[in-house]
Amino acid sequence: MEIWDGYDANLNKIENMTLVRGQDIPDGVFHLVCDILVKHTDGTYLLMQRDLRKAYGGMWEATAGGSALLGEKPLECAKRELLEETGIDSSNLTQVGCVVDNANHSIYVEFLCITDCAKDSITLQQGETIAYKWVSQADLINMKDGLLTERMQQFIAELN
């Protein structure tokens, strides 16, 4: 069971409010999600392919990420998710955005990670991802149909 903190729309933690993955979230309450766009120092971007058994299975995502666990701050969540989903252990993360999604009761805090990791050192998280690839900035921008959400497409467009 995954337990999250509850937040208001301004990313203020709501005292004594916990949420459980899969249970309804009250109106006006949000959970924290962190997304990390990974850019290599050579200018390419990392794409991860979602496990076929997940929602949107087989689609390529331009970010690693997931929900913050109880007590986790955005940067802590981003570092953990990045390591879990890619094997990249980095402190070089910069917050580049924050989006409130009322429909999904989520606040997405978006980070950019610039890394010089060995490009063949990416690890896949069983049950989450099945493949990865590095693509140029132009290829990333032009493959908008392959990205998971419109929010991710906007995130990428804003960085360019």
Side-chain angles (χ1 to χ4, degrees), residues 49-69:
Q49 189 176 28
R50 292 176 65 86
D51 188 288
L52 297 174
R53 298 166 289 188
K54 291 182 61 77
Y56 306 101
M59 290 192 76
W60 289 93
E61 288 186 274
T63 59
S67 297
L69 303 176

Side-chain angles (χ1 to χ4, degrees), residues 8-130:
D8 68 18
N10 296 313
L11 199 57
N12 296 309
K13 198 180 295 188
I14 300 172
E15 198 169 321
N16 300 318
M17 167 74 70
T18 58
L19 308 171
V20 178
R21 179 185 285 277
Q23 293 183 0
D24 288 339
I25 298 175
D27 287 339
V29 176
F30 302 86
H31 80 287
L32 171 64
V33 180
C34 293
D35 286 328
I36 308 95
L37 180 66
V38 178
K39 181 179 182 180
H40 198 274
T41 54
D42 71 2
T44 58
Y45 291 84
L46 179 63
L47 297 181
M48 305 295 291
Q49 189 176 28
R50 292 176 65 86
D51 188 288
L52 297 174
R53 298 166 289 188
K54 291 182 61 77
Y56 306 101
M59 290 192 76
W60 289 93
E61 288 186 274
T63 59
S67 297
L69 303 176
L70 187 69
E72 228 174 13
K73 294 182 180 350
L75 184 58
E76 294 168 333
C77 172
K79 287 179 180 181
R80 176 184 54 78
E81 288 287 347
L82 181 64
L83 182 60
E84 287 176 359
E85 293 189 7
T86 67
I88 297 172
D89 187 4
S90 178
S91 294
N92 191 10
L93 283 90
T94 304
Q95 184 177 331
V96 293
C98 186
V99 176
V100 176
D101 182 343
N102 287 298
N104 292 309
H105 297 277
S106 302
I107 298 176
Y108 296 91
V109 179
E110 299 163 335
F111 291 87
L112 174 65
C113 172
I114 298 179
T115 183
D116 64 354
C117 72
K119 292 172 89 171
D120 63 354
S121 69
I122 302 304
T123 58
L124 303 175
Q125 184 179 17
Q126 188 169 2
E128 294 286 329
T129 56
I130 56 174

